[in-house]
Amino acid sequence: DADVTQTPRNRITKTGKRIMLECSQTKGHDRMYWYRQDPGLGLRLIYYSFDVKDINKGEISDGYSVSRQAQAKFSLSLESAIPNQTALYFCATSDFRGGEVQYFGAGTRLSVL
Amino acid sequence: AQSVTQLDSQVPVFEEAPVELRCNYSSSVSVYLFWYVQYPNQGLQLLLKYLSGSTLVKGINGFEAEFNKSQTSFHLRKPSVHISDTAEYFCAVSVPGADKLIFGTGTRLQVFP
């Protein structure tokens, strides 16, 4: 079983709909991250959380919100999806004792029509 | 602020040939450096990392990278590539203690038979 699990793996939605992407991890890490990947732009950080009570904006947080329900769960929401949020989304985790190495889920491919 | 530049968006190479993927970074403080690989339809996984010490770092699958502080570079090399090395490769930087990665835009390595 994967250590970092993202659901769903693929999602198609319509403009204006609310959508939630979920991430859970069994690595016991305290730090979790959400990124989006766009062709030619690499990965950009949306939000990150260093523990359950700590949520921080990344470089592209507008239009997104997050919830850290437990140490192992970190959800990303699009309150009102728009077409330019069509992208590949990745969740990642890290351990402060791990030399800042991050471990990634398999990704969620989101299309907003 | 830190930034990462991957100079080549695509690198085509024949099987068993050597390859170098270039990465330059910008930072006014010391950094950690990473190379991640993304195989088709998968998340990112760590190839290698430089935290301190020896400037030549060996990673998985026969890859290595050399940290060059004066040139602010961290180029990735492999002496003989295989078809299975076809993937996208990302260089990333973090400031020690910040636990946030800044990614380059990626280099797509295509290995031809």
Side-chain angles (χ1 to χ4, degrees):
Chain A
D1 288 341
D3 294 321
V4 183
T5 302
Q6 292 185 234
T7 55
R9 290 294 315 277
N10 293 280
R11 180 73 184 266
I12 300 174
T13 192
K14 294 182 179 179
T15 298
K17 293 290 188 180
R18 183 179 188 274
I19 184 168
M20 179 181 289
L21 309 183
E22 299 189 347
C23 177
S24 62
Q25 52 117 345
T26 58
K27 298 187 76 67
H29 289 170
D30 50 345
R31 301 177 177 196
M32 298 187 74
Y33 309 79
W34 275 105
Y35 294 90
R36 67 176 278 175
Q37 182 182 14
D38 299 277
L41 296 180
L43 277 77
R44 293 179 291 167
L45 183 63
I46 306 172
Y47 271 95
Y48 61 103
S49 169
F50 283 178
D51 65 42
V52 174
K53 295 181 180 178
D54 176 76
I55 303 287
N56 303 281
K57 293 183 178 180
E59 61 178 304
I60 54 161
S61 59
D62 287 350
Y64 302 95
S65 62
V66 291
S67 172
R68 185 83 183 264
Q69 300 97 321
Q71 187 201 33
K73 295 184 183 294
F74 192 38
S75 300
L76 175 72
S77 293
L78 287 67
E79 297 300 327
S80 179
I82 56 176
N84 78 358
Q85 292 177 312
T86 292
L88 186 54
Y89 290 84
F90 286 104
C91 174
T93 73
S94 73
D95 182 341
F96 77 96
R97 295 161 295 184
E100 307 195 18
V101 175
Q102 294 186 15
Y103 299 86
F104 287 79
T108 295
R109 188 169 296 279
L110 176 66
S111 296
V112 183
L113 304 180
Chain B
Q2 290 68 44
S3 65
V4 177
T5 301
Q6 292 184 245
L7 298 164
D8 305 298
S9 59
Q10 294 191 66
V11 173
V13 64
F14 286 109
E15 195 173 19
E16 298 183 7
V19 71
E20 178 180 83
L21 306 184
R22 297 181 292 170
C23 173
N24 287 87
Y25 69 93
S26 173
S27 177
S28 58
V29 298
S30 296
V31 294
Y32 294 156
L33 293 156
F34 306 82
W35 276 99
Y36 282 82
V37 59
Q38 182 182 27
Y39 297 106
N41 299 314
Q42 294 185 28
L44 281 71
Q45 62 184 93
L46 182 71
L47 264 182
L48 49 80
K49 63 183 178 183
Y50 172 79
L51 304 184
S52 65
S54 173
T55 57
L56 183 62
V57 180
K58 294 190 183 297
I60 61 171
N61 301 338
F63 283 93
E64 64 181 32
E66 185 155 21
F67 170 57
N68 187 320
K69 188 174 182 179
S70 62
Q71 307 253 345
T72 61
S73 67
F74 191 55
H75 300 334
L76 181 71
R77 302 185 182 99
K78 186 170 183 178
S80 176
V81 295
H82 302 289
I83 296 286
S84 59
D85 292 323
T86 294
E88 187 144 24
Y89 292 79
F90 291 94
C91 182
V93 66
S94 74
V95 173
D99 213 3
K100 288 194 298 176
L101 290 175
I102 297 166
F103 285 89
T105 52
T107 297
R108 183 168 298 279
L109 176 64
Q110 294 179 281
V111 182
F112 295 94

